[in-house]
Amino acid sequence: NVNERGQLHADLTASVKLNTLFVFSDDYALQGNMSSKMTLDGTLQDPLLNGRINIQNGAVETSSMSIKNITIDSIIRNSKITIQKAIAQDKNSYIDIKGSADFGISNYIPRVLCDWTVKFSNYDLINSDNLLCNCDGEIRATGPITHLTLSGPLKLKGQYDTTNATTTSYKDIRIIR
């Protein structure tokens, strides 16, 4: 609802399969079940979102990467999402994410500012026919989601084709797109 002064109010409840909500291309696949219960208040120029978003049995798959068994529990307060739990587990390995993302709109253009800590423990991030990349360590991802800055120690073990596995340790990784 929008009243005569331009004030918004809506109660939003959803339960959807991610593969029907997010379709990027034939190269990417999202799976899992997302449930949410939120309220939208404020104005069109300054909307405020509050509530919860949860994902169960999630997966992200590409031709060379597969992250499965994803569980995410998050709270949204004043359009800032706080990740209470975000984990992907596979056998004896995992990815664990903590942090927040601040959602806003400026001149009707959405913006997302992130501050995440991502911990990898013996996780095969890339596993394709000719390339293997196993990750250990903890990185921090900050900034706008379109231009994330990654920093921190990350140990990568890789193997390409039939060459022997090599181990390289990267400290203070900074990737700017």
Side-chain angles (χ1 to χ4, degrees):
N1 295 340
V2 179
N3 67 20
E4 63 278 354
R5 295 182 314 209
Q7 296 290 313
L8 297 171
H9 179 76
D11 293 318
L12 311 166
T13 302
S15 182
V16 297
K17 293 192 178 292
L18 290 175
N19 62 347
T20 61
L21 187 61
F22 297 103
V23 179
F24 296 110
S25 74
D26 292 338
D27 297 329
Y28 297 89
L30 289 180
Q31 297 175 356
N33 302 307
M34 183 180 79
S35 61
S36 63
K37 185 171 185 171
M38 298 178 278
T39 59
L40 177 63
D41 293 301
T43 64
L44 288 173
Q45 293 80 17
D46 191 20
L48 285 176
L49 196 60
N50 291 288
R52 301 184 75 84
I53 296 177
N54 300 304
I55 296 174
Q56 299 293 320
N57 303 315
V60 178
E61 296 188 49
T62 70
S63 59
S64 62
M65 181 182 74
S66 179
I67 301 174
K68 296 182 179 181
N69 303 316
I70 299 171
T71 300
I72 300 174
D73 294 322
S74 58
I75 292 178
I76 302 170
R77 287 193 184 106
N78 296 323
S79 299
K80 182 174 184 174
I81 187 168
T82 300
I83 300 169
Q84 293 183 305
K85 174 184 175 183
I87 194 161
Q89 290 183 290
D90 189 22
K91 300 175 198 153
N92 297 322
S93 62
Y94 66 87
I95 300 173
D96 187 10
I97 302 172
K98 302 244 186 293
S100 62
D102 190 5
F103 294 85
I105 295 179
S106 177
N107 296 322
Y108 302 100
I109 299 172
R111 64 166 173 68
V112 181
L113 296 175
C114 303
D115 188 356
W116 299 325
T117 300
V118 183
K119 184 176 182 180
F120 295 91
S121 177
N122 193 37
Y123 201 87
D124 288 339
L125 189 60
I126 299 173
N127 192 352
S128 67
D129 292 340
N130 62 350
L131 180 63
L132 172 68
C133 181
N134 180 278
C135 299
D136 268 305
E138 187 172 291
I139 60 172
R140 187 165 178 211
T142 58
I145 199 160
T146 55
H147 296 87
L148 282 177
T149 298
L150 304 178
S151 60
L154 187 61
K155 187 175 183 181
L156 304 174
K157 291 182 270 184
Q159 187 172 358
Y160 182 73
D161 283 334
T162 58
T163 60
N164 293 329
T166 59
T167 301
T168 306
S169 181
Y170 296 93
K171 296 199 187 310
D172 295 321
I173 293 174
R174 293 188 67 79
I175 300 171
I176 301 173
R177 184 172 80 120

